[in-house]
C-alpha cells in the first residue's frame, strides 16, 4: 500500500470513528449533567430536611401505636390502606404499609412538589439557568435531566419512608409471617418483596405530581411561587377528590387511585385500580411533560 493510500485509509478510519466518539462524548456529558443535578439537589438543606421529616413520620406512628397498645389493647381500623395500622402490633412489617399510606396523601407529594417546583424556577431566580443552557446542554436535555432528578427524589423519598418504617417496626414490634387483607398467610420474605413492590408503586404514583410541578416551574422565575403553586394545586385536587358531587370527575384526578397500592396485599392481587393508577400517572406525565417542554423551549431566558 502506498503512502497516499495509507493516509487515505487512515482518514476514512478517523471519519468512521468520529461519530462514535461524538456519541460517546454526548453520553458522557448526559451522565455528568445528571450526576451534577443529583449532587446539587441532595446536598441542599431543604432536601435533607424534607427527607428527615419523611423519615420521622414512621417513627411517630410506631411510637404512638406502641404507647396506645402498651396496656394490651389493640388499635382499631377497618379495610383499606390506613387500616394496616390495626395489624402493626402483630407484625412490624405492617408499619411500612401504614407509613406509606399516611405520607402519600400529603407529605410525599408535598415534598415532590417542592423539589419539582424549584427545578427550573429556582435556577432562573438564582441567575444560573442561562449558564446551564450553554452548548452542549440544550433545553430539552436539561429539562429531561431535571425531570429524571425529580423522579430519583421520588424513589429516594419513598424508600426513606419504607426503610424508616421497617427499622422502627423491627425494633418495636415482632416480625414474621403476615396475614394479607384477604386473610391468607404469606411468608415474611414474600411480605418484604411486596413491601418493596408497594414502595415502587408509590414512587410511580408521584410521576404526575412531578410533571405538574416541573410545568409550573417553567411558568415563573420565582422558585417560592412555583413551589407554593404546586403544593396549592395538590391540596386543591385532593379536596375536590373528596366532594361526592364530583364523583364523575374524580377518576381523572391524579390522586384518586393513590391508595390502590393496598391491593398488592390481597391474595390474589387486585390489579384493576393499580393499572388505572399507573396509566393515569403516565397520562399526566405525558401531558404536563409536553407542556413543560413547549413552554421551556420557547421561554426567553434573560437571567
Amino acid at each position: 500500500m502506498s503512502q497516499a493510500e495509507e493516509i487515505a485509509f487512515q482518514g476514512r478510519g478517523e471519519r468512521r470513528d468520529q461519530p462514535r466518539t461524538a456519541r460517546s462524548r454526548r453520553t458522557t456529558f448526559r451522565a455528568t449533567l445528571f450526576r451534577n443535578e443529583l449532587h446539587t439537589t441532595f446536598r441542599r438543606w431543604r432536601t435533607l430536611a424534607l427527607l428527615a421529616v419523611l423519615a420521622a413520620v414512621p417513627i411517630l406512628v410506631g411510637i404512638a401505636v406502641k404507647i396506645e397498645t402498651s396496656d394490651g389493647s389493640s388499635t382499631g381500623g377497618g379495610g383499606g390502606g390506613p387500616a394496616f395500622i390495626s395489624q402493626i402490633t402483630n407484625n412490624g412489617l405492617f408499619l411500612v404499609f401504614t407509613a406509606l399510606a399516611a405520607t402519600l396523601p400529603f407529605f410525599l407529594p408535598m415534598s415532590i412538589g417542592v423539589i419539582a417546583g424549584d427545578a427550573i424556577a429556582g435556577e432562573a431566580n438564582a441567575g444560573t439557568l442561562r449558564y446551564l443552557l450553554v452548548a452542549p446542554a440544550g433545553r430539552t436535555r436539561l429539562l429531561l435531566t431535571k425531570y429524571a432528578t425529580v423522579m430519583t427524589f421520588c424513589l429516594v423519598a419513598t424508600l426513606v419512608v419504607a426503610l424508616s418504617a421497617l427499622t422502627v417496626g423491627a425494633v418495636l414490634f415482632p416480625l414474621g409471617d403476615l396475614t394479607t387483607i384477604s386473610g391468607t398467610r404469606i411468608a415474611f420474605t414474600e411480605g418484604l418483596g411486596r413491601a418493596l413492590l408497594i414502595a415502587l408503586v408509590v414512587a410511580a404514583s408521584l410521576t404526575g405530581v412531578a410533571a405538574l410541578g416541573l410545568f409550573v416551574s417553567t411558568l415563573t422565575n420565582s422558585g417560592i411561587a412555583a413551589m407554593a403553586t404546586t403544593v396549592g394545586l395538590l391540596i386543591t385536587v385532593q379536596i375536590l377528590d373528596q366532594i361526592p358531587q364530583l364523583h364523575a370527575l374524580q377518576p381523572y384526578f391524579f390522586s384518586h387511585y393513590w391508595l390502590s397500592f393496598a391491593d398488592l396485599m390481597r391474595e390474589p392481587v387486585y390489579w384493576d385500580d393499580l393499572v388505572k393508577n399507573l396509566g393515569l400517572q403516565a397520562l399526566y406525565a405525558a401531558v404536563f411533560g409536553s407542556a413543560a417542554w413547549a413552554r421551556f423551549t420557547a421561554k426567553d431566558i434573560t437571567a
Side-chain angles (χ1 to χ4, degrees):
M1 179 183 295
S2 66
Q3 184 177 4
E5 291 174 338
E6 183 177 355
I7 293 174
F9 177 79
Q10 292 175 351
R12 287 195 297 270
E14 289 177 358
R15 284 193 295 272
R16 282 196 298 267
D17 289 340
Q18 284 176 355
R20 187 181 308 168
T21 303
R23 285 194 298 269
S24 177
R25 288 176 178 174
R26 285 195 295 269
T27 301
T28 302
F29 176 78
R30 294 190 190 102
T32 302
L33 182 62
F34 179 56
R35 185 170 60 249
N36 288 340
E37 282 296 324
L38 286 178
H39 183 259
T40 300
T41 299
F42 283 94
R43 74 178 180 180
R44 288 173 176 162
W45 284 107
R46 177 175 60 239
T47 304
L48 298 177
L50 289 172
L51 293 176
V53 170
L54 291 172
V57 173
I59 299 175
L60 296 177
V61 172
I63 293 175
V65 172
K66 187 67 174 180
I67 293 175
E68 183 181 353
T69 59
S70 60
D71 59 354
S73 62
S74 60
T75 58
F84 289 135
I85 196 170
S86 64
Q87 300 291 333
I88 294 177
T89 53
N90 299 324
N91 196 316
L93 186 58
F94 277 101
L95 184 58
V96 176
F97 313 135
T98 301
L100 290 173
T103 55
L104 183 54
F106 181 72
F107 291 104
L108 274 171
M110 181 201 68
S111 301
I112 305 306
V114 169
I115 299 299
D118 190 56
I120 300 296
E123 299 284 4
N125 185 58
T128 56
L129 183 57
R130 181 171 57 184
Y131 300 102
L132 287 174
L133 295 176
V134 297
R139 301 193 180 200
T140 300
R141 186 178 300 158
L142 178 61
L143 191 66
L144 289 174
T145 302
K146 290 287 187 180
Y147 187 68
T149 302
V150 175
M151 288 309 305
T152 301
F153 178 82
C154 288
L155 180 60
V156 170
T158 304
L159 292 178
V160 163
V161 174
L163 290 175
S164 175
L166 181 60
T167 303
V168 175
V171 171
L172 298 181
F173 307 101
L175 296 176
D177 296 348
L178 61 159
T179 304
T180 66
I181 295 177
S182 303
T184 58
R185 296 283 292 180
I186 60 175
F188 176 71
T189 53
E190 183 178 350
L192 278 178
R194 294 202 186 193
L196 176 59
L197 183 58
I198 285 175
L200 295 177
V201 168
V202 170
S205 299
L206 298 169
T207 55
V209 174
L212 173 62
L214 196 63
F215 169 62
V216 173
S217 188
T218 63
L219 300 177
T220 178
N221 290 336
S222 172
I224 295 178
M227 290 185 284
T229 301
T230 303
V231 174
L233 288 173
L234 167 67
I235 296 174
T236 301
V237 168
Q238 299 222 59
I239 292 175
L240 294 177
D241 199 22
Q242 302 301 318
I243 299 177
Q245 290 78 5
L246 299 177
H247 67 277
L249 297 177
Q250 288 167 352
Y252 301 99
F253 294 155
F254 55 76
S255 62
H256 187 69
Y257 296 106
W258 272 354
L259 294 181
S260 63
F261 73 79
D263 290 339
L264 289 170
M265 283 304 296
R266 301 184 188 275
E267 192 66 41
V269 174
Y270 293 175
W271 292 103
D272 290 350
D273 286 350
L274 287 166
V275 172
K276 289 178 182 178
N277 177 41
L278 296 179
L280 189 63
Q281 301 308 319
L283 178 62
Y284 270 87
V287 171
F288 285 104
S290 299
W293 175 83
R295 167 62 179 169
F296 188 55
T297 52
K299 186 175 183 178
D300 182 22
I301 306 299
T302 57

